[in-house]
């Protein structure tokens, strides 16, 4: 009976196949040169480009900032007309009142589902919106 227990191996099915690697964590403002966060890369006109983070930097919030190597970063992809058009359409949906059709220069609150003027009668400053386009006359009528 004692010989049977020697052949058994304790295996944890949830244990990782490879040893887990940890990345270094630096204090605020103490990260070595050559590393940057995503925001810092964006300010330099770069993006991480698929590379994994190489370190972390402690922040004031609950999550640490991830650091990427600047040498491996790639340039930001340029804005195309199609991308710009798609972003404008998305912003127009968030800035346009569904009731009166005015497009404001700010995002309308989603809780109201309309502008303040349509919601409760508060007059809107005419400099804060673009008037809706006039209905086009039918082209064949002329």
């Amino acid at each position: 009976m004692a010989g049977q227990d020697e052949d058994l191996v304790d295996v944890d099915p949830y244990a990782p196949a490879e040893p887990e690697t940890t990345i270094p964590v630096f204090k605020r403002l103490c990260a070595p040169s050559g590393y940057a966060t995503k925001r810092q890369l964006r300010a330099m006109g770069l993006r991480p480009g698929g590379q994994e983070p190489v370190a972390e930097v402690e922040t004031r919030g609950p999550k640490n900032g991830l650091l990427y190597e600047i040498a491996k970063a790639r340039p930001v992809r340029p804005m195309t007309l199609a991308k710009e058009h798609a972003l404008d359409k998305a912003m127009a949906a968030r800035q346009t009142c569904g009731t009166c059709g005015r497009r404001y220069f700010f995002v309308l609150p989603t809780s109201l589902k309309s502008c303040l003027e349509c919601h409760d009668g508060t007059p809107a400053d005419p400099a804060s919106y673009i008037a809706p386009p006039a209905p086009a006359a039918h082209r064949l009528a002329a």
Side-chain angles (χ1 to χ4, degrees):
M1 213 52 147
Q4 290 176 349
D5 291 338
E6 293 174 7
D7 295 337
L8 296 177
V9 178
D10 187 21
V11 177
D12 184 7
Y14 301 106
E18 300 174 5
E20 294 183 23
T21 59
T22 59
I23 57 178
V25 179
F26 297 104
K27 299 269 187 210
R28 280 189 71 220
L29 305 174
C30 294
S33 61
Y35 294 159
T37 63
K38 281 187 180 180
R39 282 188 180 188
Q40 291 169 335
L41 287 174
R42 180 60 69 157
M44 293 182 246
L46 301 171
R47 61 186 171 95
Q51 65 172 309
E52 295 294 321
V54 293
E56 291 184 19
V57 63
E58 290 180 354
T59 60
R60 292 181 182 161
K63 295 173 74 175
N64 286 344
L66 299 175
L67 295 173
Y68 300 90
E69 288 185 56
I70 297 174
K72 292 182 181 177
R74 296 183 180 160
V76 175
R77 293 184 190 110
M79 179 69 72
T80 63
L81 288 175
K83 257 192 208 178
E84 190 173 350
H85 180 69
L87 288 172
D88 185 54
K89 280 178 63 175
M91 286 307 295
R94 298 177 66 199
Q95 295 172 336
T96 304
C97 175
T99 308
C100 64
R102 294 179 185 155
R103 181 172 177 182
Y104 287 82
F105 295 115
F106 53 88
V107 176
L108 297 174
T110 55
S111 60
L112 303 180
K113 297 188 172 53
S114 65
C115 64
L116 284 175
E117 190 166 342
C118 294
H119 178 71
D120 62 3
T122 304
D125 181 17
S128 68
Y129 62 85
I130 302 168
H138 198 276
R139 293 183 184 187
L140 298 177

